Amino acid sequence: MSKEISLQALQRLPLYLQYLKALPADKDIYISAKVLSSALGLGEIQVRKDLAAVSDGGKPKVGYCAAELIKDIENFLGYDNVNDAVLVGTGKLGKALLSYDGFKAYGLNIVAAFDSDPGKCGIDESGKQIFHISKMENLCERMKIEIGIITVPAASAQEVCDILVKSGIRAVWNFAPAHISVPAGVLLKNENMAASLAVLSKHLSEKRVCENNSNSI
Amino acid sequence: MSKEISLQALQRLPLYLQYLKALPADKDIYISAKVLSSALGLGEIQVRKDLAAVSDGGKPKVGYCAAELIKDIENFLGYDNVNDAVLVGTGKLGKALLSYDGFKAYGLNIVAAFDSDPGKCGIDESGKQIFHISKMENLCERMKIEIGIITVPAASAQEVCDILVKSGIRAVWNFAPAHISVPAGVLLKNENMAASLAVLSKHLSEKRVCENNSNSI
DNA sequence: TAGATTGTTAATCGATTAACAATC
DNA sequence: TAGATTGTTAATCGATTAACAATC
């Protein structure tokens, strides 16, 4: 376990996790790479390779123990440690993420939000506190927050990111449609809806039929 | 123009577009691949190759005409044709997307939403109509809708997708944390937040410093 | 044992980068 | 012309897939 893993493979792990967790929670459920791959629309060898990177391995002729796999993947991804996060920008999208309670399955816990508009500060519908942005640095440092979620307009994204970095954030999840840059050691993950829309729009403008299933992206 | 383009390159186009649109709207503004690449944190050659795929090209020693590039990229991506879409599932995320007005810059126009809960039907805060899911097929067919946005819980994602496909949808944008499958010719784009979280969580659990800027994903 | 399934090493494929030629 | 910049062909790199060996 814990061999080389590609960025692509890393991003497929939640897919396996989601499938495995939907299975009955029985110690003795085994599943083969073949079943997994066809259920998820992936290659069978790819699945074996992905799982080999995170798990002690399956048993020939039997498959992988589902319960073990879940444990191994969660452990590999660090979902067992809770990752505290702050969110900046409480517009529509920010509020939606703030009240989404599905993140805790991934170890993500949004502890507070920030906004530059004093009128938006207070308790959110989600029950979470929204502070003025001026309080962010202090709070992040005190609570040793490591994840910052950016849901501000593009124009202020870099500025907000800089404050987050100064506050000790080590990973930034950016939803603003803007390119931002971070210093070495800080991870930047862009949630790039514009990129997705480009793919959709291009497909429609082509009006051509491509090959099956390879058209899932 | 319109040579081969890789999926990656296609998804970088909105980045160029966003940068170029932030420039003064002057017919005579030229920009070099060098400036573009360093502003966006990309490789210079990569930028030239990307632009070559969509544009008639730049002028040696001068660069690319910004206004031309914008036109070429928008044309390539089909942002000039309006793409009508429907959204299914009016939970927090669905509502956030419904009222987000930034999509029209990408040619995306959400004309209506659907939900299986009759209590949620009516006029949304966004001013858009929410219909019962039973009306979806008929409405999509009549209006020749080609894009379906799925923001329902994972458990009903496949079912909703099947109805969309039956209704003539040709591109599906899936926000549900579920694997769904579509027939040939229909494009499926997953907006995979779980995948992003995997990258963030793994980075933090590693507690190691990686190389600069290559850590933007 | 035979057969099914895992795991690994080698081959292929696609995307990025480097080297260089073309052009204003 | 010389120099800056674009554009293309070749080399590299990384990820996926294929072939095959190992194991229960």
Side-chain angles (χ1 to χ4, degrees):
Chain A
M1 113 167 76
S2 239
K3 313 172 187 184
E4 294 299 308
I5 191 166
S6 72
L7 179 60
Q8 321 293 321
L10 173 57
Q11 295 188 88
R12 279 190 296 270
L13 293 179
L15 223 57
Y16 302 126
L17 203 50
Q18 164 231 315
Y19 180 86
L20 293 167
K21 284 185 152 182
L23 261 34
D26 188 315
K27 272 276 170 216
D28 293 325
I29 288 193
Y30 281 76
I31 189 162
S32 71
K34 190 169 197 167
V35 171
L36 255 174
S37 66
S38 72
L40 298 174
L42 301 172
E44 186 180 335
I45 302 156
Q46 188 174 55
V47 169
R48 279 208 290 274
K49 209 162 196 177
D50 289 353
L51 297 185
V54 300
S55 154
D56 275 343
K59 293 180 192 159
K61 215 175 159 175
V62 182
Y64 302 82
C65 170
E68 287 273 327
L69 267 190
I70 291 175
K71 224 176 50 190
D72 288 341
I73 296 176
E74 288 189 329
N75 176 61
F76 183 87
L77 291 175
Y79 285 175
D80 31 11
N81 334 318
V82 171
N83 290 313
D84 285 342
V86 293
L87 180 147
V88 196
T90 56
K92 299 271 180 189
L93 182 62
K95 276 173 176 277
L97 297 181
L98 207 49
S99 37
Y100 180 54
D101 62 356
F103 286 145
K104 59 171 170 278
Y106 307 113
L108 186 79
N109 177 38
I110 305 179
V111 297
F114 298 91
D115 205 290
S116 61
D117 178 356
K120 288 192 171 168
C121 300
I123 306 273
D124 181 64
E125 306 156 24
S126 65
K128 281 170 183 158
Q129 186 93 38
I130 303 174
F131 299 101
H132 189 259
I133 185 99
S134 59
K135 307 229 168 121
M136 187 163 74
E137 191 170 346
N138 184 271
L139 187 141
C140 287
E141 280 171 0
R142 275 195 298 111
M143 295 191 68
K144 300 204 190 313
I145 306 291
E146 297 196 308
I147 299 181
I149 304 172
I150 298 181
T151 49
V152 299
S156 24
Q158 181 68 62
E159 187 189 349
V160 161
C161 180
D162 291 344
I163 305 176
L164 283 168
V165 167
K166 202 148 55 96
S167 315
I169 269 348
R170 303 195 57 247
V172 172
W173 196 9
N174 176 41
F175 286 80
H179 166 76
I180 58 187
S181 61
V182 291
V186 175
L187 184 113
L188 171 64
K189 181 79 181 108
N190 291 300
E191 198 65 39
N192 202 340
M193 298 200 199
S196 300
L197 275 169
V199 178
L200 294 173
S201 183
K202 181 64 179 154
H203 172 78
L204 292 176
S205 79
E206 280 176 346
K207 301 273 180 198
R208 289 199 268 106
V209 173
C210 308
E211 279 316 303
N212 183 17
N213 285 345
S214 61
N215 49 9
S216 156
I217 297 162
Chain B
M1 110 168 77
S2 241
K3 313 171 188 184
E4 294 299 308
I5 191 166
S6 72
L7 177 61
Q8 320 294 319
L10 172 58
Q11 295 189 87
R12 279 191 296 270
L13 294 178
L15 223 57
Y16 302 127
L17 203 51
Q18 164 232 317
Y19 180 87
L20 293 166
K21 284 185 151 181
L23 261 33
D26 187 317
K27 272 276 170 219
D28 293 326
I29 288 192
Y30 281 76
I31 189 161
S32 71
K34 188 170 199 166
V35 171
L36 255 174
S37 66
S38 71
L40 299 175
L42 301 173
E44 187 179 335
I45 303 157
Q46 187 174 55
V47 169
R48 278 207 289 275
K49 208 160 197 177
D50 289 352
L51 297 185
V54 300
S55 155
D56 276 343
K59 292 179 192 160
K61 214 175 159 173
V62 183
Y64 303 82
C65 170
E68 288 273 328
L69 267 190
I70 291 174
K71 224 178 47 192
D72 288 341
I73 296 175
E74 288 189 331
N75 177 60
F76 183 88
L77 290 175
Y79 286 176
D80 32 11
N81 334 319
V82 170
N83 290 313
D84 285 341
V86 293
L87 181 146
V88 196
T90 56
K92 300 270 179 187
L93 182 62
K95 276 174 176 274
L97 296 180
L98 207 51
S99 38
Y100 180 54
D101 62 356
F103 287 144
K104 59 171 170 279
Y106 308 113
L108 185 80
N109 177 36
I110 305 178
V111 297
F114 298 92
D115 205 290
S116 60
D117 177 358
K120 288 194 169 168
C121 298
I123 307 273
D124 181 65
E125 307 154 24
S126 65
K128 281 169 182 157
Q129 186 93 39
I130 303 174
F131 298 101
H132 189 258
I133 186 96
S134 58
K135 308 228 167 121
M136 185 161 77
E137 190 169 347
N138 185 271
L139 187 142
C140 288
E141 279 171 2
R142 274 194 299 111
M143 297 190 68
K144 300 203 191 311
I145 306 291
E146 296 196 308
I147 299 180
I149 304 172
I150 298 182
T151 49
V152 298
S156 24
Q158 181 67 63
E159 186 190 351
V160 161
C161 180
D162 292 343
I163 305 176
L164 284 166
V165 167
K166 203 148 55 100
S167 316
I169 270 350
R170 302 195 56 249
V172 172
W173 195 10
N174 175 41
F175 285 81
H179 166 75
I180 57 186
S181 62
V182 291
V186 175
L187 183 112
L188 170 65
K189 180 80 180 109
N190 292 301
E191 198 66 36
N192 200 339
M193 297 202 201
S196 300
L197 275 170
V199 179
L200 294 174
S201 183
K202 180 66 180 152
H203 171 78
L204 292 176
S205 79
E206 280 177 343
K207 301 273 181 196
R208 288 200 269 106
V209 174
C210 307
E211 279 316 303
N212 184 17
N213 285 346
S214 60
N215 48 7
S216 155
I217 299 161

